[in-house]
Amino acid sequence: MNTKTLGYTTMIVSAALMGCVGLFARNINTSGDVIAFTRMTVGAICIFALMYHQGKIHLIKATKLSPTVVLSGACLGLCLAAYVSSTQYTTLANAVFLIYTGPVFSTILAAVFLKEKISALTGGLLTAVFIGCLFIIGIISYDATSGLTMSLSFSKETFIGDMLGLASGFGYGLYLFFSRYRTDVSSDSRSFFNFTSGALAIAVCFMINPPSLAEMDASSWVWLLAMGFFIGFGALTLLTIAAKHLKAAELACVSYLETVVGAGIGIAMFGESLTVLQTIGGILVIGGGMGEIVISMAKKRASMKNASVNG
């Protein structure tokens, strides 16, 4: 097996495991922040163990912490808490589609704070994602009697979950944005500090709003520990392997498989359904997000080609 094949194989399995978050969350009788805290803590322990095994602990000690390193991890932890909570209050498809608005929020933040220009094509992709979100949460809807309508009324059944999904998408966008700083930090060290900062950020939330474990039965504990192992240790380990053989943009493209797995589990195992407009909305979100990645890949290749020609 060549390195690219190994990279894509491990990334596909990792993304598929991440797509199972909703399946685990719905079988655990506690709040999303507790589940996310477990995920982040297991992630920190696992990455530390891997670095210790590989003799890389010195990289953690050598890393100079800065606000952006801490903030990126905190945003990752809080976005995961919002996402897990979202899967408990809305359809798995809505939750997973909405968190993947993150790359678009990151692009907007970069344009505002880093003064990066948004091309006409990028603007079109951002518009597609925005319209997709309106379709998913039901602001734009369709029925045979009224046709296509726009209303600020939300579905009472999924409102909380949809808003948490949007919050998770914004948190993911902040994580991606802050991750653009301090590129001098190694990927292993950044992962460790991301997981650690994320767990600490959720722990602070526990101090404000203490979680309850009163409803945690034996089955819930088994699901929680299994989630920590498979989605914490398993997905993280496979992602680490994939990151050694694939470029960042390639990793990002494959990660969108998570949306398909998440939506598929909701339909197959929980009897959920998507309207035609919600399906179109999901496609617009995925297409807009992946479009941003493809554009960045094309720009990188063009700049490298120009550099080699000029050199």
Side-chain angles (χ1 to χ4, degrees), residues 120-180:
L121 180 57
T122 300
L125 293 171
L126 293 176
T127 302
V129 173
F130 177 70
I131 294 173
C133 285
L134 298 184
F135 285 167
I136 291 170
I137 63 180
I139 290 180
I140 298 178
S141 58
Y142 174 84
D143 62 66
T145 305
S146 307
L148 202 64
T149 59
M150 178 180 282
S151 171
L152 284 177
S153 61
F154 298 92
S155 168
K156 291 181 180 178
E157 292 78 16
T158 63
F159 175 74
I160 293 176
D162 290 341
M163 293 304 102
L164 285 168
L166 277 176
S168 70
F170 185 66
Y172 184 34
L174 284 171
Y175 159 69
L176 294 173
F177 175 70
F178 287 128
S179 294
R180 300 179 67 167

Side-chain angles (χ1 to χ4, degrees), residues 25-104:
R26 289 191 177 181
N27 285 282
I28 302 171
N29 296 325
T30 189
S31 56
D33 50 2
V34 173
I35 299 171
F37 177 79
T38 303
R39 166 72 175 87
M40 301 303 287
T41 302
V42 170
I45 293 171
C46 289
I47 195 67
F48 183 84
L50 285 171
M51 292 182 72
Y52 180 81
H53 177 70
Q54 296 168 354
K56 295 182 178 179
I57 296 299
H58 65 281
L59 294 177
I60 295 177
K61 295 178 180 178
T63 301
K64 293 182 179 179
L65 287 180
S66 64
T68 52
V69 172
V70 175
L71 283 171
S72 64
C75 289
L76 179 62
L78 295 175
C79 103
L80 182 61
Y83 170 53
V84 175
S85 299
S86 177
T87 65
Q88 298 174 324
Y89 291 98
T90 188
T91 64
L92 298 188
N94 281 20
V96 76
F97 285 144
L98 291 172
I99 192 175
Y100 271 94
T101 58
V104 178

Side-chain angles (χ1 to χ4, degrees), residues 211-231:
S212 173
L213 299 176
E215 296 182 10
M216 286 286 287
D217 52 17
S219 175
S220 292
W221 282 108
V222 170
W223 277 97
L224 182 62
L225 294 174
M227 182 181 183
F229 179 77
F230 288 107
I231 300 179

